[in-house]
Amino acid sequence: MEWWVSMPKLELHAHLNGSIRNSTILELGRELGEKGIIVFSDVEHVILKSDRSLPEVFKLFDLIHVLTTDHETVTRITKEVVEDFAAENVVYLELRTTPKRNDSKGMSKRSYMEAVLEGLRAVSTVEVDIFRDSEVECHANAHTLYDTKNGTQRKKIYVRLLLSIDRRETTEAAMETVKLALEMRHLGVVGIDLSGNPVIGEWQTFLPVLEFAKEQGLSITLHCGEVPNPKEIHAMLDFLPARIGHACCLGEEEWRKLKSSKIPVEICLTSNIKTETISSVDVHHFADLYNSKHPIVLCTDDTGVFSTSSSREYILASSAFGIHKREMFQLARNAIDFIFADDGVKRELEVMFDLAAGRLEF
Ligand code: 5GP
């Protein structure tokens, strides 16, 4: 385990509210129970259950969203989630979250995101790189970060944000999210994600909004093929997103289209197996994509909901598919090409990986 933790990793598919510590969810649940807002004993087993089907996962998210409705809690969970990823030696994190409006708490989509940013600023265990204005500054930063003489490196995590559109939303609400993302670009927002219950909502609802986002230069990632829906999967691949998540239920034709498109796939092994989207790890499409050198990145999806971590996902892939440490390190490094941050950040990450390659025993 220690080796896998010490290996630098990139996390490109992590939902904020799915990555909350179990201990924090239980604490928040107890507090709301004491205030009489929920009956804690009714929800405790829902929180503690370890294997959930996909519909049960979305029920749990509805509960989590009841527990995390105020600004202070959003700030707290953001801080904790970033600290947890940094402790796992994730050096670049693209954290995604659905901006939420909650009138009873005086929360708008913007103030929700401000609470997230406050959480990034509150991180104390590691230096957080949220955004830099120019590549010049970026290279200057690289020099202060690395002590090249002895190859040591101050602990640091790059965090960029993706704003998620929930498939329950209307076109107007989705457009509000995209406009917010554009306004918050100087604060580290780099892209848009389409997620939420895959059996709800129509692709056509979101297409004009996503096209607008793309035209404006935001990078797009889509949850694609979590359930069999050939028409939608074809339409999503035709849209040419910068990445897709999951790609579990693709038929032969969609599979061919994906392979020829070279669209990078965010793979979430534990999530797919626990939700039974894929029946077992040995039949997971990771193997086919990996063997055919299709661009892929290993991700966690929801570390809290699925009780996993970045290191565990790497260990699982290595043991299930017989891939050695050096190749797993290369797999992690390859993901630098698929991040939504600028080239300056990519170069700094390459330096980080090169330093780590000299330090790690393979
Ligand atoms: P949030 O956006 O509230 O920070 O994170 C939780 C939300 O992410 C969920 O309500 C859901 O919309 C989305 N999400 C998390 N995990 C999954 C997943 O495995 N599949 C899909 N489609 N959406 C997910």
Side-chain angles (χ1 to χ4, degrees):
M1 186 71 181
E2 211 178 298
W3 190 91
W4 296 97
V5 171
S6 69
M7 185 183 94
K9 293 169 284 294
L10 276 60
E11 173 57 76
L12 305 188
H13 187 133
H15 298 267
L16 174 61
N17 277 278
S19 306
I20 310 173
R21 295 174 187 162
N22 253 351
S23 57
T24 298
I25 299 188
L26 287 170
E27 188 187 319
L28 295 170
R30 266 190 213 103
E31 274 172 20
L32 287 198
E34 280 159 18
K35 288 181 189 158
I37 299 170
I38 59 167
V39 180
F40 181 64
S41 55
D42 285 355
V43 300
E44 191 179 9
H45 67 281
V46 182
I47 297 170
L48 292 174
K49 195 170 179 215
S50 84
D51 288 353
R52 297 178 187 88
S53 64
L54 203 55
E56 281 177 326
V57 163
F58 288 102
K59 275 196 198 130
L60 177 62
F61 279 124
D62 287 341
L63 169 63
I64 291 175
H65 290 146
V66 171
L67 305 179
T68 61
T69 43
D70 61 72
H71 294 102
E72 295 73 35
T73 308
V74 172
T75 296
R76 172 188 173 173
I77 59 171
T78 306
K79 173 181 184 285
E80 290 180 356
V81 166
V82 173
E83 288 182 346
D84 289 350
F85 277 115
E88 276 276 306
N89 219 9
V90 166
V91 290
Y92 177 90
L93 165 65
E94 260 169 38
L95 188 60
R96 56 185 78 189
T97 193
T98 322
K100 296 169 191 73
R101 187 178 151 185
N102 183 348
D103 293 339
S104 69
K105 301 278 178 188
M107 183 185 277
S108 61
K109 286 192 175 195
R110 171 177 281 281
S111 72
Y112 174 92
M113 284 313 301
E114 279 162 0
V116 169
L117 291 168
E118 194 56 41
L120 299 185
R121 289 190 282 267
V123 170
S124 56
T125 58
V126 60
E127 182 185 333
V128 180
D129 176 300
I130 302 172
F131 180 75
R132 272 149 315 133
D133 257 338
S134 69
E135 298 220 349
V136 176
E137 208 183 316
C138 208
H139 293 307
N141 202 22
H143 287 298
T144 56
L145 260 179
Y146 304 111
D147 179 349
T148 39
K149 258 191 223 146
N150 60 18
T152 55
Q153 173 186 318
R154 275 196 287 134
K155 204 159 166 70
K156 170 176 182 174
I157 185 168
Y158 294 84
V159 182
R160 296 294 182 271
L161 298 169
L162 307 182
L163 303 200
S164 300
I165 295 169
D166 186 321
R167 295 178 62 112
R168 286 180 292 198
E169 291 184 291
T170 60
T171 306
E172 291 69 37
M175 187 57 99
E176 193 191 338
T177 297
V178 169
K179 289 195 173 149
L180 183 60
L182 291 170
E183 286 163 24
M184 294 191 131
R185 271 173 140 176
H186 66 293
L187 297 168
V189 174
V190 290
I192 294 289
D193 156 57
L194 177 67
S195 54
N197 195 333
V199 298
I200 294 176
E202 293 291 327
W203 168 245
Q204 286 306 324
T205 310
F206 309 108
L207 180 59
V209 175
L210 293 168
E211 272 173 345
F212 172 73
K214 202 187 210 186
E215 278 161 25
Q216 296 295 314
L218 288 166
S219 299
I220 315 286
T221 176
L222 305 172
H223 281 61
C224 175
E226 284 177 289
V227 291
N229 186 345
K231 204 167 148 228
E232 180 177 279
I233 295 167
H234 273 289
M236 284 183 166
L237 295 176
D238 287 340
F239 173 75
L240 292 179
R243 298 194 306 254
I244 59 169
H246 299 297
C248 298
C249 304
L250 273 58
E252 258 179 53
E253 221 184 295
E254 295 106 76
W255 202 242
R256 264 197 300 275
K257 193 178 234 175
L258 170 64
K259 291 251 185 94
S260 65
S261 73
K262 300 268 181 268
I263 296 170
V265 182
E266 303 150 1
I267 298 274
C268 309
L269 295 172
T270 302
S271 159
N272 296 158
I273 292 151
K274 287 206 170 174
T275 56
E276 293 173 357
T277 315
I278 300 288
S279 58
S280 71
V281 71
D282 36 296
V283 296
H284 197 283
H285 49 290
F286 172 95
D288 185 352
L289 292 173
Y290 181 78
N291 291 332
S292 57
K293 299 198 172 13
H294 189 90
I296 47 175
V297 51
L298 276 182
C299 303
T300 55
D301 204 5
D302 300 290
T303 51
V305 169
F306 299 120
S307 306
T308 189
S309 67
S310 301
S311 305
R312 286 205 191 106
E313 294 304 302
Y314 275 83
I315 293 173
L316 178 58
S318 168
S319 62
F321 306 109
I323 307 172
H324 295 124
K325 284 177 177 167
R326 190 175 288 283
E327 284 73 44
M328 292 304 292
F329 177 86
Q330 191 57 44
L331 181 70
R333 195 185 196 282
N334 291 348
I336 296 174
D337 282 343
F338 324 139
I339 69 170
F340 292 167
D342 63 27
D343 287 347
V345 175
K346 288 183 182 172
R347 298 298 84 81
E348 287 195 32
L349 290 170
E350 283 163 2
V351 174
M352 278 182 165
F353 272 80
D354 290 346
L355 286 171
R359 166 174 58 78
L360 289 167
E361 280 176 27
F362 291 101

